[in-house]
Amino acid sequence: MAKNRSRKSVRESRALGIPLTPKAERLMQRRPYRPGEHGRGRVKDSDYSIRLKEKQRLRAQYGIREAQLRKTWNEARKMEGLAGENLIELLERRLDAVVLRAGFARTISQARQVVVHRHVLVDGKIVDRPSYRVKPGQIVQIKPRSQTSPQFMVAAQGQHADVLPAVPEYLNVDLTKLRVEIVRTPKRAEVPVTCDVQLVVEHYSR
């Protein structure tokens, strides 16, 4: 099962042109083209397919379903400010995204699993919903009983740093305690996702 998920993730990475996992990044260095018989061929994308692909890129990087992304978009466009930046801010405040950015997991799917398996505390209380939206000032921490497990001992030693971007400035991370605080709301320029958000806005606004 894990092997099938890994293979699917690699194929999706090659189709979207971005590595979604460390393994996909290694394999894409050898085969950066799309999967399939005609993967190396030239394809002239329509305006619609370009916008659709950018939306799929964003969705894949957060590992969420289309219904979840559309719901977040509907919320973002009703907020003050630029809808695209609002969308990224809301996605980045998901609990699984915070766990990933803090370096407590290597991939977004692993971060989601950490949350669902009830390893994460928010302000001292267990939260097992990956979609939970963390507010500025809240403290996210791996619960003390879980910190002695091998996967979190590795994280506490900073061994995920080789496959993750630098911790963004809106997070205050204490890796040794597996603790992170959201200092303020994220800004688009600080968020390490590969996406032209304007194309996503245009896709949903059509």
Side-chain angles (χ1 to χ4, degrees):
M1 183 68 73
K3 185 176 181 180
N4 289 340
R5 284 199 301 267
S6 176
R7 185 178 300 167
K8 179 181 177 182
S9 180
V10 171
R11 287 182 62 85
E12 185 177 17
S13 296
R14 291 172 61 200
L16 296 175
I18 53 171
L20 299 174
T21 64
K23 180 179 180 180
E25 185 168 13
R26 292 195 303 271
L27 293 178
M28 285 180 67
Q29 292 175 359
R30 299 200 305 266
R31 294 182 293 173
Y33 45 85
R34 294 176 297 116
E37 181 181 355
H38 305 291
R40 295 175 187 253
R42 287 188 174 184
V43 176
K44 185 175 182 181
D45 293 324
S46 65
D47 289 344
Y48 172 79
S49 65
I50 290 172
R51 293 179 176 86
L52 176 63
K53 183 176 181 179
E54 206 65 24
K55 185 265 296 181
Q56 291 173 327
R57 277 183 166 192
L58 181 63
R59 185 170 66 82
Q61 288 174 86
Y62 285 98
I64 58 178
R65 299 186 304 273
E66 172 61 26
Q68 292 174 298
L69 182 57
R70 183 173 286 276
K71 181 180 178 181
T72 307
W73 160 253
N74 288 334
E75 186 176 350
R77 66 188 178 89
K78 295 175 184 176
M79 296 168 58
E80 293 184 4
L82 298 175
E85 294 190 5
N86 293 339
L87 176 61
I88 297 296
E89 176 199 321
L90 294 176
L91 291 171
E92 198 64 13
R93 285 170 49 202
R94 287 174 54 96
L95 182 56
D96 54 358
V98 172
V99 168
L100 177 66
R101 301 288 181 239
F104 302 163
R106 289 173 66 88
T107 65
I108 192 64
S109 60
Q110 189 181 82
R112 181 179 302 102
Q113 189 178 54
V114 165
V115 176
V116 170
H117 288 184
R118 301 172 64 84
H119 293 300
V120 178
L121 305 174
V122 178
D123 287 345
K125 297 181 181 179
I126 290 178
V127 178
D128 58 5
R129 287 190 300 112
S131 62
Y132 177 88
R133 193 167 295 153
V134 186
K135 300 175 184 176
Q138 287 190 306
I139 305 296
V140 175
Q141 187 173 19
I142 302 301
K143 68 181 182 182
R145 284 181 58 188
S146 300
Q147 291 187 19
T148 56
S149 69
Q151 72 176 106
F152 295 119
M153 291 178 69
V154 167
Q157 293 168 6
Q159 294 189 26
H160 296 335
D162 60 330
V163 297
L164 295 175
V167 176
E169 293 185 2
Y170 51 85
L171 297 180
N172 183 12
V173 179
D174 185 341
L175 257 189
T176 58
K177 296 181 180 178
L178 293 172
R179 176 185 183 277
V180 57
E181 177 186 3
I182 290 199
V183 180
R184 53 176 171 77
T185 55
K187 298 178 181 177
R188 169 64 188 102
E190 302 172 301
V191 177
V193 294
T194 303
C195 178
D196 185 337
V197 185
Q198 182 56 37
L199 293 179
V200 180
V201 171
E202 292 172 5
H203 172 80
Y204 279 125
S205 300
R206 71 190 191 283

